[in-house]
Amino acid sequence: MLRAGDRAPSLRELSRQQRVSVTTALQSYMWLENRGYLEARARSGFFVRQPFASEIPEPQFEVSSARERSLGVDDIMQDVFSAANDPAAIGFGAGCASPDLFPSRRLNLNLRRIIHRDPLHSSRYDFPPGSEQLRRQIARRASDIEPGVSLRDVVITDGALEAVSLGLRAVARPGDAIAVESPTYFGILANIASMGMKIIEIPTHPQEGMDLNELERAIRKHRIKACVTMPNCHNPLGYVLPDKHKRALADLTGRANVAVIEDDVYGDLASDGTRPRTVKSFDKKGLVILCSSFSKTLPPGFRVGWIIAGRFRAEVERLKFVTTVASNSLGQRVVADFLESGGYDRHLKRLRTAIALQVENVRQAIARYFPAGTRISRPAGGHLLWVELPPKTDSLKLYQAALAEHITILPGPVFCCGNRYRNYIRINCGHKWSEVYERALLKLGRLASEARA
Ligand SMILES: Cc1ncc(COP(=O)(O)O)c(C=O)c1O
C-alpha cells in the first residue's frame, strides 16, 4: 500500500501494470494530482500526497451556548513542560516543529557574521518598539495582506503570547469579560485567567469558527470587552476561517466597539501555500490587534514576536517597556538578517510541504491504530490534530497512561475551562515521521481503547 510521501510507480511501470498507454497513465496521474492525491516533483516523478483524506471522519460540532467558567489546568501544564524537557519522551504534546525543519545552518551563519562584525551587538537596549531593521521586514510582509502597514505600526515582543498579553492589558482590566473560541489554546486561557479577567467561551465550529450569533448574545449579556481569536490554522481545530467569516467577525465587533486580539502565530503555515488574510485586514475602526511571532516557522527559542495594535499602539509600547523593558537584541538581529536575505519564503515553502506530509502520515496512522469511531481533524495548516475519541474514552486517563510510557499528548479539557472535551486529545505532528512515531501511535491507539471513563 502506498502512503503519504511514497513515490508512485513511473508512468511506464503503470502503463505496463495496467495495460494502458503512457498517455492514459499520465492522464490518470494528472486527475489524481488535480484532486490533491498526488504531487508531481520535477525530475523525480509523482508522489503520494493525501490519500483517503476524505474518508477519515472529522470531529463534530457540539451545539452549546456561550458561558463563563474558571480554569483548572495548572497541573497538566506543569507535566507538559517537564515532559517537553524529557529527552526520552515521544512528544505529541507541545506544539513545536521538529528542530531539523528549521534553517539552523543559515541562522547560525548569520549569528557568526553579526558577532564578528559587531562584537558589541547587545550592549544597548532595543527599547520599544524594538529593532527598526526587524520592524521594517515585518511591516513589509504584513502590508502584503493589509496595504499601508508601516514600521511605525509594529512593536516587537517576546513571542506571540506576550503580544496577546500586551494586547489584552491595553484594552481590558481585571474583572472584564473576554470572549474566546472553545476549544482554544490553553496559553491564552491561562493568560486571561492570570490577569483576573473573566473567560467567556464561545462555541466554535470546526470549520466556520466562532458561532457569531452566540458571540453577539455574549457581547450583550456579559458586556464583553475584547475577543481573542485565531482565524488562521486554529489551535487546536486547524481551520482557516473563510474570508466572509473574518469580515463578519470584524463587522460585528466593530459595530459593538469590542476590541479583537487576533493570534496569527500559525498564519504562515497554511498548507495550500497561499497566505490567508487576517481579520485585521477587514478592520475599519483600528480595533483589531494583530499578534504573531516566528516561533512556529523559525526556532522558537529566539522568542521573536510582534504586535500591530492599531489605535492601541502607544499603550502597548508603554506596557512592553514597563513589563520587560525591551526584547533580546541578538535574536531580533538574526531574524531580521534572515528576512532581509530573502531566504524566509523559500524556507516557508519547504516547511509547509514537510509539515503537510507529516500531518497526513499521523492522520493515516491514527485512522489505522485508534479505536473504531475515532474522528480526526483535517487541518488547513499548522501541525496540530484535534482527535475525537469514542464517547466513553477518558482523555485524562489516556494522558496519564501515555505519560507512563513516555508518550506525551494533550487531553481535551486543557483547551477549555471546566471539564469538557473529555474524549478529545490534541496531537502535535511537528516531528519528522519515523517508525518510532508510528510505534508510539500504535501504542497510543491501544491505550485509547483501554482508557474508559
Ligand atoms: C495559538 C498560539 N498562540 C501563541 C503561542 C505562543 O507563541 P510564542 O512562542 O511565540 O509566544 C502558541 C504556541 O504554541 C500558540 O499555539
Short mmCIF file of all heavy atoms in Angstrom, two decimals, residues 383-448:
data_model
loop_
_atom_site.label_atom_id
_atom_site.label_comp_id
_atom_site.label_asym_id
_atom_site.label_seq_id
_atom_site.Cartn_x
_atom_site.Cartn_y
_atom_site.Cartn_z
N HIS A 383 0.60 22.17 12.41
CA HIS A 383 0.97 20.77 12.63
C HIS A 383 0.21 20.13 13.79
O HIS A 383 0.73 19.26 14.47
CB HIS A 383 2.48 20.63 12.82
CG HIS A 383 3.11 21.73 13.63
ND1 HIS A 383 2.94 21.86 14.98
CD2 HIS A 383 3.90 22.74 13.24
CE1 HIS A 383 3.61 22.91 15.40
NE2 HIS A 383 4.21 23.48 14.37
N LEU A 384 -1.03 20.59 14.01
CA LEU A 384 -1.79 20.07 15.14
C LEU A 384 -3.03 19.33 14.67
O LEU A 384 -3.71 19.77 13.75
CB LEU A 384 -2.21 21.24 16.04
CG LEU A 384 -1.05 22.12 16.53
CD1 LEU A 384 -1.59 23.35 17.24
CD2 LEU A 384 -0.13 21.34 17.45
N LEU A 385 -3.29 18.19 15.31
CA LEU A 385 -4.52 17.44 15.01
C LEU A 385 -5.41 17.41 16.23
O LEU A 385 -4.94 17.24 17.36
CB LEU A 385 -4.18 15.99 14.64
CG LEU A 385 -3.53 15.75 13.27
CD1 LEU A 385 -3.24 14.26 13.11
CD2 LEU A 385 -4.44 16.24 12.14
N TRP A 386 -6.70 17.60 16.00
CA TRP A 386 -7.71 17.51 17.06
C TRP A 386 -8.43 16.20 16.84
O TRP A 386 -9.02 15.97 15.78
CB TRP A 386 -8.63 18.71 16.94
CG TRP A 386 -9.68 18.90 18.00
CD1 TRP A 386 -11.02 19.00 17.79
CD2 TRP A 386 -9.48 19.11 19.41
NE1 TRP A 386 -11.66 19.25 18.99
CE2 TRP A 386 -10.74 19.32 20.00
CE3 TRP A 386 -8.35 19.14 20.24
CZ2 TRP A 386 -10.92 19.55 21.37
CZ3 TRP A 386 -8.52 19.36 21.60
CH2 TRP A 386 -9.79 19.57 22.15
N VAL A 387 -8.33 15.30 17.81
CA VAL A 387 -8.82 13.94 17.62
C VAL A 387 -9.98 13.68 18.58
O VAL A 387 -9.82 13.83 19.80
CB VAL A 387 -7.68 12.92 17.88
CG1 VAL A 387 -8.17 11.49 17.69
CG2 VAL A 387 -6.49 13.21 16.97
N GLU A 388 -11.12 13.30 18.01
CA GLU A 388 -12.29 12.97 18.84
C GLU A 388 -12.33 11.45 19.00
O GLU A 388 -12.46 10.72 18.03
CB GLU A 388 -13.57 13.47 18.15
CG GLU A 388 -14.82 13.17 18.94
CD GLU A 388 -16.10 13.63 18.23
OE1 GLU A 388 -16.03 14.37 17.22
OE2 GLU A 388 -17.18 13.20 18.68
N LEU A 389 -12.18 10.99 20.24
CA LEU A 389 -12.19 9.55 20.51
C LEU A 389 -13.64 9.11 20.77
O LEU A 389 -14.51 9.95 21.02
CB LEU A 389 -11.30 9.27 21.72
CG LEU A 389 -9.82 9.70 21.50
CD1 LEU A 389 -9.08 9.80 22.82
CD2 LEU A 389 -9.12 8.72 20.58
N PRO A 390 -13.89 7.81 20.74
CA PRO A 390 -15.27 7.36 21.01
C PRO A 390 -15.77 7.93 22.34
O PRO A 390 -14.96 8.13 23.27
CB PRO A 390 -15.13 5.83 21.06
CG PRO A 390 -13.92 5.54 20.24
CD PRO A 390 -12.99 6.68 20.41
N PRO A 391 -17.08 8.17 22.47
CA PRO A 391 -17.63 8.97 23.58
C PRO A 391 -17.24 8.52 24.98
O PRO A 391 -17.06 9.34 25.85
CB PRO A 391 -19.15 8.83 23.39
CG PRO A 391 -19.34 8.39 21.99
CD PRO A 391 -18.10 7.71 21.53
N LYS A 392 -17.03 7.23 25.21
CA LYS A 392 -16.75 6.77 26.59
C LYS A 392 -15.25 6.90 26.95
O LYS A 392 -14.84 6.52 28.05
CB LYS A 392 -17.21 5.32 26.76
CG LYS A 392 -18.71 5.16 26.76
CD LYS A 392 -19.21 4.90 28.16
CE LYS A 392 -20.59 5.39 28.50
NZ LYS A 392 -21.61 5.30 27.52
N THR A 393 -14.44 7.39 26.05
CA THR A 393 -12.99 7.46 26.32
C THR A 393 -12.70 8.62 27.25
O THR A 393 -13.26 9.71 27.09
CB THR A 393 -12.21 7.64 25.01
OG1 THR A 393 -12.75 6.76 24.04
CG2 THR A 393 -10.73 7.38 25.20
N ASP A 394 -11.80 8.41 28.20
CA ASP A 394 -11.40 9.47 29.13
C ASP A 394 -9.98 9.92 28.76
O ASP A 394 -9.00 9.23 29.03
CB ASP A 394 -11.44 8.92 30.56
CG ASP A 394 -11.10 10.00 31.57
OD1 ASP A 394 -10.54 11.04 31.16
OD2 ASP A 394 -11.36 9.80 32.76
N SER A 395 -9.89 11.10 28.15
CA SER A 395 -8.58 11.54 27.64
C SER A 395 -7.61 11.86 28.78
O SER A 395 -6.40 11.84 28.58
CB SER A 395 -8.73 12.72 26.69
OG SER A 395 -9.20 13.85 27.40
N LEU A 396 -8.13 12.16 29.98
CA LEU A 396 -7.21 12.40 31.11
C LEU A 396 -6.55 11.09 31.54
O LEU A 396 -5.35 11.04 31.82
CB LEU A 396 -7.95 13.05 32.28
CG LEU A 396 -8.35 14.51 32.04
CD1 LEU A 396 -9.30 15.00 33.12
CD2 LEU A 396 -7.14 15.41 31.95
N LYS A 397 -7.34 9.99 31.54
CA LYS A 397 -6.75 8.67 31.84
C LYS A 397 -5.75 8.29 30.74
O LYS A 397 -4.67 7.78 31.02
CB LYS A 397 -7.84 7.60 31.92
CG LYS A 397 -8.59 7.62 33.24
CD LYS A 397 -9.47 6.39 33.35
CE LYS A 397 -10.32 6.48 34.62
NZ LYS A 397 -11.54 5.69 34.51
N LEU A 398 -6.14 8.55 29.51
CA LEU A 398 -5.25 8.23 28.39
C LEU A 398 -3.94 9.02 28.52
O LEU A 398 -2.85 8.49 28.32
CB LEU A 398 -5.94 8.55 27.06
CG LEU A 398 -5.09 8.40 25.80
CD1 LEU A 398 -4.53 6.99 25.66
CD2 LEU A 398 -5.90 8.76 24.54
N TYR A 399 -4.08 10.27 28.87
CA TYR A 399 -2.91 11.14 29.02
C TYR A 399 -1.96 10.57 30.08
O TYR A 399 -0.74 10.48 29.86
CB TYR A 399 -3.41 12.54 29.39
CG TYR A 399 -2.42 13.43 30.07
CD1 TYR A 399 -1.42 14.06 29.33
CD2 TYR A 399 -2.48 13.64 31.44
CE1 TYR A 399 -0.52 14.87 29.96
CE2 TYR A 399 -1.58 14.45 32.07
CZ TYR A 399 -0.59 15.07 31.33
OH TYR A 399 0.31 15.86 31.95
N GLN A 400 -2.50 10.12 31.23
CA GLN A 400 -1.67 9.55 32.31
C GLN A 400 -1.03 8.25 31.86
O GLN A 400 0.16 8.02 32.08
CB GLN A 400 -2.52 9.28 33.58
CG GLN A 400 -3.00 10.53 34.30
CD GLN A 400 -1.84 11.36 34.88
OE1 GLN A 400 -0.69 10.92 34.88
NE2 GLN A 400 -2.14 12.56 35.35
N ALA A 401 -1.82 7.39 31.20
CA ALA A 401 -1.29 6.09 30.76
C ALA A 401 -0.18 6.31 29.72
O ALA A 401 0.84 5.62 29.74
CB ALA A 401 -2.41 5.25 30.16
N ALA A 402 -0.37 7.29 28.84
CA ALA A 402 0.64 7.57 27.81
C ALA A 402 1.91 8.12 28.46
O ALA A 402 3.04 7.74 28.09
CB ALA A 402 0.08 8.56 26.78
N LEU A 403 1.73 8.99 29.45
CA LEU A 403 2.88 9.59 30.13
C LEU A 403 3.73 8.49 30.78
O LEU A 403 4.97 8.56 30.75
CB LEU A 403 2.36 10.56 31.20
CG LEU A 403 3.29 11.71 31.60
CD1 LEU A 403 3.70 12.53 30.39
CD2 LEU A 403 2.58 12.61 32.62
N ALA A 404 3.07 7.46 31.34
CA ALA A 404 3.81 6.35 31.96
C ALA A 404 4.65 5.62 30.91
O ALA A 404 5.63 4.96 31.23
CB ALA A 404 2.83 5.40 32.63
N GLU A 405 4.26 5.72 29.64
CA GLU A 405 5.02 5.09 28.54
C GLU A 405 5.93 6.11 27.86
O GLU A 405 6.39 5.89 26.75
CB GLU A 405 4.05 4.52 27.49
CG GLU A 405 3.06 3.50 28.00
CD GLU A 405 3.67 2.10 28.11
OE1 GLU A 405 4.80 1.91 27.63
OE2 GLU A 405 2.99 1.23 28.68
N HIS A 406 6.12 7.25 28.49
CA HIS A 406 6.95 8.34 27.93
C HIS A 406 6.42 8.89 26.61
O HIS A 406 7.17 9.26 25.73
CB HIS A 406 8.41 7.90 27.75
CG HIS A 406 9.10 7.66 29.04
ND1 HIS A 406 9.59 8.68 29.82
CD2 HIS A 406 9.35 6.52 29.72
CE1 HIS A 406 10.10 8.18 30.93
NE2 HIS A 406 9.96 6.88 30.89
N ILE A 407 5.10 8.87 26.49
CA ILE A 407 4.48 9.49 25.30
C ILE A 407 3.65 10.66 25.81
O ILE A 407 2.84 10.49 26.73
CB ILE A 407 3.56 8.50 24.56
CG1 ILE A 407 4.36 7.27 24.10
CG2 ILE A 407 2.90 9.16 23.36
CD1 ILE A 407 3.49 6.14 23.56
N THR A 408 3.84 11.84 25.22
CA THR A 408 3.02 12.98 25.67
C THR A 408 1.97 13.31 24.63
O THR A 408 2.22 13.26 23.42
CB THR A 408 3.87 14.24 25.93
OG1 THR A 408 4.52 14.60 24.72
CG2 THR A 408 4.88 14.02 27.02
N ILE A 409 0.78 13.62 25.15
CA ILE A 409 -0.31 14.14 24.32
C ILE A 409 -0.95 15.26 25.13
O ILE A 409 -0.58 15.44 26.29
CB ILE A 409 -1.39 13.07 24.02
CG1 ILE A 409 -1.89 12.49 25.36
CG2 ILE A 409 -0.86 12.00 23.11
CD1 ILE A 409 -3.15 11.67 25.23
N LEU A 410 -1.88 15.98 24.57
CA LEU A 410 -2.63 16.93 25.39
C LEU A 410 -4.09 16.50 25.45
O LEU A 410 -4.72 16.30 24.40
CB LEU A 410 -2.51 18.34 24.82
CG LEU A 410 -1.17 19.03 25.08
CD1 LEU A 410 -1.20 20.45 24.54
CD2 LEU A 410 -0.85 19.07 26.57
N PRO A 411 -4.62 16.32 26.66
CA PRO A 411 -6.02 15.93 26.79
C PRO A 411 -6.94 17.11 26.51
O PRO A 411 -6.60 18.26 26.82
CB PRO A 411 -6.12 15.48 28.25
CG PRO A 411 -5.01 16.18 28.96
CD PRO A 411 -3.93 16.48 27.96
N GLY A 412 -8.11 16.82 25.95
CA GLY A 412 -9.06 17.87 25.56
C GLY A 412 -9.38 18.92 26.62
O GLY A 412 -9.44 20.11 26.31
N PRO A 413 -9.57 18.50 27.91
CA PRO A 413 -10.01 19.50 28.89
C PRO A 413 -9.06 20.69 29.06
O PRO A 413 -9.48 21.73 29.56
CB PRO A 413 -10.12 18.68 30.19
CG PRO A 413 -10.45 17.30 29.73
CD PRO A 413 -9.68 17.12 28.45
N VAL A 414 -7.78 20.58 28.65
CA VAL A 414 -6.90 21.76 28.83
C VAL A 414 -7.24 22.87 27.82
O VAL A 414 -6.77 23.99 27.95
CB VAL A 414 -5.38 21.44 28.73
CG1 VAL A 414 -4.98 20.36 29.68
CG2 VAL A 414 -4.94 21.13 27.32
N PHE A 415 -8.08 22.53 26.83
CA PHE A 415 -8.41 23.54 25.82
C PHE A 415 -9.69 24.30 26.14
O PHE A 415 -10.27 24.96 25.28
CB PHE A 415 -8.49 22.88 24.43
CG PHE A 415 -7.15 22.36 23.99
CD1 PHE A 415 -6.75 21.08 24.31
CD2 PHE A 415 -6.27 23.19 23.32
CE1 PHE A 415 -5.49 20.62 23.96
CE2 PHE A 415 -5.01 22.74 22.95
CZ PHE A 415 -4.62 21.46 23.28
N CYS A 416 -10.15 24.14 27.37
CA CYS A 416 -11.36 24.85 27.78
C CYS A 416 -11.33 25.07 29.28
O CYS A 416 -10.42 24.61 29.96
CB CYS A 416 -12.60 24.05 27.40
SG CYS A 416 -12.72 22.49 28.31
N CYS A 417 -12.32 25.75 29.78
CA CYS A 417 -12.50 25.85 31.22
C CYS A 417 -13.49 24.75 31.59
O CYS A 417 -14.32 24.37 30.78
CB CYS A 417 -13.07 27.21 31.59
SG CYS A 417 -12.05 28.55 30.97
N GLY A 418 -13.42 24.27 32.85
CA GLY A 418 -14.34 23.20 33.22
C GLY A 418 -13.81 21.88 32.70
O GLY A 418 -12.62 21.70 32.51
N ASN A 419 -14.70 20.96 32.40
CA ASN A 419 -14.26 19.59 32.14
C ASN A 419 -14.84 19.04 30.84
O ASN A 419 -15.29 17.91 30.79
CB ASN A 419 -14.69 18.73 33.35
CG ASN A 419 -13.97 17.40 33.35
OD1 ASN A 419 -12.94 17.26 32.69
ND2 ASN A 419 -14.53 16.42 34.03
N ARG A 420 -14.86 19.88 29.80
CA ARG A 420 -15.41 19.35 28.54
C ARG A 420 -14.29 18.78 27.67
O ARG A 420 -13.16 18.73 28.06
CB ARG A 420 -16.17 20.46 27.82
CG ARG A 420 -17.58 20.56 28.39
CD ARG A 420 -18.26 21.80 27.99
NE ARG A 420 -17.39 22.92 28.21
CZ ARG A 420 -17.13 23.85 27.31
NH1 ARG A 420 -17.68 23.79 26.12
NH2 ARG A 420 -16.33 24.85 27.59
N TYR A 421 -14.64 18.36 26.48
CA TYR A 421 -13.70 17.74 25.54
C TYR A 421 -12.99 16.55 26.20
O TYR A 421 -11.81 16.31 25.96
CB TYR A 421 -12.70 18.77 24.99
CG TYR A 421 -13.39 19.99 24.44
CD1 TYR A 421 -13.15 21.25 24.99
CD2 TYR A 421 -14.30 19.89 23.40
CE1 TYR A 421 -13.81 22.37 24.51
CE2 TYR A 421 -14.97 21.00 22.92
CZ TYR A 421 -14.72 22.23 23.48
OH TYR A 421 -15.37 23.33 23.01
N ARG A 422 -13.69 15.86 27.07
CA ARG A 422 -13.10 14.78 27.86
C ARG A 422 -12.70 13.61 26.94
O ARG A 422 -11.82 12.83 27.28
CB ARG A 422 -14.16 14.35 28.89
CG ARG A 422 -13.70 13.46 29.97
CD ARG A 422 -12.96 14.17 31.07
NE ARG A 422 -12.34 13.21 31.97
CZ ARG A 422 -12.10 13.42 33.25
NH1 ARG A 422 -12.40 14.58 33.80
NH2 ARG A 422 -11.54 12.48 33.99
N ASN A 423 -13.33 13.47 25.78
CA ASN A 423 -12.95 12.39 24.87
C ASN A 423 -12.19 12.92 23.65
O ASN A 423 -12.24 12.35 22.57
CB ASN A 423 -14.18 11.58 24.42
CG ASN A 423 -15.19 12.42 23.69
OD1 ASN A 423 -15.44 13.56 24.08
ND2 ASN A 423 -15.79 11.90 22.62
N TYR A 424 -11.49 14.05 23.86
CA TYR A 424 -10.68 14.61 22.76
C TYR A 424 -9.21 14.66 23.20
O TYR A 424 -8.93 14.81 24.39
CB TYR A 424 -11.10 16.05 22.45
CG TYR A 424 -12.42 16.18 21.74
CD1 TYR A 424 -13.62 16.04 22.43
CD2 TYR A 424 -12.46 16.47 20.37
CE1 TYR A 424 -14.83 16.18 21.78
CE2 TYR A 424 -13.68 16.62 19.72
CZ TYR A 424 -14.86 16.46 20.42
OH TYR A 424 -16.05 16.61 19.78
N ILE A 425 -8.31 14.56 22.22
CA ILE A 425 -6.90 14.84 22.50
C ILE A 425 -6.35 15.71 21.36
O ILE A 425 -6.90 15.71 20.25
CB ILE A 425 -6.03 13.56 22.61
CG1 ILE A 425 -6.16 12.69 21.35
CG2 ILE A 425 -6.40 12.77 23.86
CD1 ILE A 425 -5.21 11.51 21.34
N ARG A 426 -5.28 16.43 21.66
CA ARG A 426 -4.55 17.15 20.60
C ARG A 426 -3.21 16.45 20.39
O ARG A 426 -2.53 16.13 21.34
CB ARG A 426 -4.30 18.61 20.98
CG ARG A 426 -3.80 19.42 19.78
CD ARG A 426 -3.22 20.76 20.20
NE ARG A 426 -1.87 20.63 20.71
CZ ARG A 426 -1.11 21.67 21.08
NH1 ARG A 426 -1.59 22.90 21.03
NH2 ARG A 426 0.12 21.47 21.56
N ILE A 427 -2.91 16.24 19.12
CA ILE A 427 -1.66 15.57 18.75
C ILE A 427 -0.82 16.53 17.92
O ILE A 427 -1.28 17.05 16.90
CB ILE A 427 -1.97 14.31 17.88
CG1 ILE A 427 -2.73 13.26 18.70
CG2 ILE A 427 -0.72 13.73 17.27
CD1 ILE A 427 -1.87 12.42 19.62
N ASN A 428 0.41 16.76 18.35
CA ASN A 428 1.32 17.58 17.55
C ASN A 428 2.05 16.69 16.54
O ASN A 428 2.58 15.64 16.89
CB ASN A 428 2.35 18.23 18.49
CG ASN A 428 3.45 18.90 17.70
OD1 ASN A 428 3.18 19.64 16.75
ND2 ASN A 428 4.70 18.64 18.05
N CYS A 429 2.05 17.11 15.28
CA CYS A 429 2.71 16.32 14.22
C CYS A 429 3.96 17.05 13.73
O CYS A 429 4.35 16.90 12.57
CB CYS A 429 1.79 16.10 13.03
SG CYS A 429 0.10 15.70 13.43
N GLY A 430 4.57 17.87 14.58
CA GLY A 430 5.73 18.65 14.14
C GLY A 430 6.95 17.79 13.82
O GLY A 430 7.85 18.23 13.12
N HIS A 431 6.97 16.57 14.34
CA HIS A 431 8.19 15.77 14.21
C HIS A 431 8.29 15.05 12.87
O HIS A 431 7.29 14.65 12.31
CB HIS A 431 8.24 14.72 15.32
CG HIS A 431 8.33 15.35 16.66
ND1 HIS A 431 9.50 15.85 17.14
CD2 HIS A 431 7.40 15.58 17.60
CE1 HIS A 431 9.28 16.37 18.34
NE2 HIS A 431 8.01 16.22 18.63
N LYS A 432 9.52 14.88 12.44
CA LYS A 432 9.75 14.14 11.20
C LYS A 432 9.21 12.72 11.39
O LYS A 432 9.47 12.08 12.41
CB LYS A 432 11.26 14.09 10.94
CG LYS A 432 11.59 14.18 9.49
CD LYS A 432 13.03 14.47 9.29
CE LYS A 432 13.23 15.03 7.90
NZ LYS A 432 14.54 15.59 7.73
N TRP A 433 8.45 12.25 10.43
CA TRP A 433 7.80 10.94 10.53
C TRP A 433 8.85 9.83 10.57
O TRP A 433 9.81 9.85 9.80
CB TRP A 433 6.88 10.76 9.33
CG TRP A 433 6.13 9.46 9.36
CD1 TRP A 433 6.23 8.44 8.46
CD2 TRP A 433 5.16 9.07 10.33
NE1 TRP A 433 5.38 7.43 8.82
CE2 TRP A 433 4.71 7.79 9.96
CE3 TRP A 433 4.63 9.66 11.47
CZ2 TRP A 433 3.76 7.09 10.68
CZ3 TRP A 433 3.68 8.96 12.21
CH2 TRP A 433 3.26 7.69 11.80
N SER A 434 8.70 8.91 11.47
CA SER A 434 9.62 7.77 11.53
C SER A 434 8.89 6.60 12.18
O SER A 434 7.79 6.76 12.72
CB SER A 434 10.86 8.10 12.36
OG SER A 434 10.48 8.17 13.72
N GLU A 435 9.55 5.42 12.18
CA GLU A 435 8.92 4.24 12.80
C GLU A 435 8.68 4.44 14.28
O GLU A 435 7.73 3.88 14.84
CB GLU A 435 9.80 3.02 12.58
CG GLU A 435 9.49 2.32 11.28
CD GLU A 435 10.36 1.10 11.08
OE1 GLU A 435 10.82 0.51 12.07
OE2 GLU A 435 10.57 0.76 9.91
N VAL A 436 9.55 5.23 14.92
CA VAL A 436 9.38 5.48 16.36
C VAL A 436 8.00 6.10 16.60
O VAL A 436 7.26 5.69 17.51
CB VAL A 436 10.48 6.44 16.86
CG1 VAL A 436 10.23 6.85 18.31
CG2 VAL A 436 11.84 5.78 16.71
N TYR A 437 7.63 7.06 15.76
CA TYR A 437 6.33 7.72 15.94
C TYR A 437 5.19 6.79 15.56
O TYR A 437 4.15 6.79 16.19
CB TYR A 437 6.29 9.03 15.13
CG TYR A 437 7.15 10.07 15.81
CD1 TYR A 437 8.46 10.28 15.44
CD2 TYR A 437 6.65 10.79 16.89
CE1 TYR A 437 9.27 11.18 16.11
CE2 TYR A 437 7.44 11.70 17.57
CZ TYR A 437 8.75 11.89 17.17
OH TYR A 437 9.53 12.76 17.86
N GLU A 438 5.42 5.99 14.54
CA GLU A 438 4.37 5.04 14.15
C GLU A 438 4.10 4.05 15.29
O GLU A 438 2.95 3.79 15.66
CB GLU A 438 4.75 4.30 12.86
CG GLU A 438 3.74 3.25 12.47
CD GLU A 438 3.52 3.10 10.98
OE1 GLU A 438 4.38 3.58 10.21
OE2 GLU A 438 2.49 2.51 10.62
N ARG A 439 5.20 3.53 15.90
CA ARG A 439 5.03 2.58 17.03
C ARG A 439 4.33 3.26 18.20
O ARG A 439 3.47 2.68 18.86
CB ARG A 439 6.38 2.02 17.46
CG ARG A 439 6.83 0.81 16.63
CD ARG A 439 7.89 0.01 17.36
NE ARG A 439 9.08 0.80 17.65
CZ ARG A 439 10.10 0.99 16.82
NH1 ARG A 439 10.08 0.44 15.63
NH2 ARG A 439 11.13 1.72 17.17
N ALA A 440 4.71 4.53 18.44
CA ALA A 440 4.10 5.27 19.56
C ALA A 440 2.60 5.44 19.32
O ALA A 440 1.79 5.32 20.24
CB ALA A 440 4.78 6.62 19.74
N LEU A 441 2.20 5.68 18.07
CA LEU A 441 0.77 5.86 17.78
C LEU A 441 0.02 4.53 17.89
O LEU A 441 -1.14 4.49 18.32
CB LEU A 441 0.58 6.49 16.40
CG LEU A 441 0.98 7.97 16.35
CD1 LEU A 441 1.08 8.45 14.91
CD2 LEU A 441 -0.02 8.84 17.12
N LEU A 442 0.71 3.45 17.52
CA LEU A 442 0.11 2.12 17.69
C LEU A 442 -0.18 1.90 19.17
O LEU A 442 -1.29 1.47 19.56
CB LEU A 442 1.09 1.05 17.14
CG LEU A 442 0.73 -0.41 17.36
CD1 LEU A 442 -0.55 -0.78 16.65
CD2 LEU A 442 1.86 -1.32 16.87
N LYS A 443 0.82 2.21 20.01
CA LYS A 443 0.64 2.04 21.46
C LYS A 443 -0.47 2.96 21.98
O LYS A 443 -1.34 2.54 22.75
CB LYS A 443 1.97 2.37 22.16
CG LYS A 443 2.00 1.93 23.60
CD LYS A 443 3.36 2.13 24.22
CE LYS A 443 4.31 1.01 23.89
NZ LYS A 443 5.67 1.25 24.42
N LEU A 444 -0.46 4.20 21.52
CA LEU A 444 -1.46 5.17 21.96
C LEU A 444 -2.87 4.69 21.58
O LEU A 444 -3.82 4.84 22.36
CB LEU A 444 -1.16 6.51 21.28
CG LEU A 444 -1.54 7.80 21.97
CD1 LEU A 444 -1.07 7.83 23.41
CD2 LEU A 444 -0.93 8.98 21.20
N GLY A 445 -2.99 4.12 20.41
CA GLY A 445 -4.28 3.59 19.95
C GLY A 445 -4.77 2.50 20.90
O GLY A 445 -5.95 2.46 21.28
N ARG A 446 -3.83 1.61 21.32
CA ARG A 446 -4.22 0.53 22.26
C ARG A 446 -4.64 1.13 23.60
O ARG A 446 -5.64 0.72 24.19
CB ARG A 446 -3.05 -0.42 22.49
CG ARG A 446 -2.77 -1.27 21.28
CD ARG A 446 -2.10 -2.59 21.69
NE ARG A 446 -1.61 -3.23 20.49
CZ ARG A 446 -0.32 -3.41 20.21
NH1 ARG A 446 0.60 -3.05 21.07
NH2 ARG A 446 0.03 -3.97 19.07
N LEU A 447 -3.84 2.11 24.07
CA LEU A 447 -4.17 2.73 25.36
C LEU A 447 -5.53 3.45 25.27
O LEU A 447 -6.29 3.44 26.22
CB LEU A 447 -3.08 3.74 25.76
CG LEU A 447 -1.69 3.15 26.05
CD1 LEU A 447 -0.68 4.28 26.30
CD2 LEU A 447 -1.74 2.22 27.25
N ALA A 448 -5.82 4.01 24.10
CA ALA A 448 -7.09 4.71 23.93
C ALA A 448 -8.27 3.75 24.06
O ALA A 448 -9.32 4.09 24.62
CB ALA A 448 -7.13 5.43 22.59
#
